[in-house]
Amino acid sequence: MESTYLVRLVFGAGEGPAVEGEWSVSGTAQDRYTQWIGLHSGNPAAVIQLIEKSGGRQRVDRAWTARGETVGAWAAGPDAGAR
């Protein structure tokens, strides 16, 4: 089963506007995650996630907020762990 990697940036709390990109190479997604933290770290409401998608499941590998970075776990469903 092949994984893809999603990076999602939510500009505000909850259901605020979002931008996302998806890559087949984890290193490319990790680089974008790091770039977005650098670009948006001044926004205290921003949430940036690095998500691994595999077999209909998503795992939030890393999530960044102004309070710091956290690590997630596998979640069922296409939108689980997304916001």
Side-chain angles (χ1 to χ4, degrees):
M1 186 171 333
E2 202 166 307
S3 294
T4 58
Y5 304 89
L6 177 71
V7 179
R8 180 177 291 124
L9 164 61
V10 179
F11 291 97
E15 299 294 322
V19 175
E20 59 185 31
E22 190 167 344
W23 296 268
S24 59
V25 177
S26 65
T28 304
Q30 175 67 49
D31 289 346
R32 182 55 47 101
Y33 171 81
T34 302
Q35 289 170 351
W36 284 2
I37 291 172
L39 290 170
H40 300 283
S41 61
N43 177 353
V47 177
I48 303 168
Q49 296 175 315
L50 174 61
I51 301 164
E52 181 180 352
K53 295 170 57 175
S54 181
R57 295 169 54 137
Q58 295 186 2
R59 175 182 144 151
V60 179
D61 289 332
R62 296 174 177 262
W64 180 92
T65 67
R67 287 180 252 140
E69 190 172 46
T70 58
V71 177
W74 282 97
D79 293 323
R83 290 184 198 222

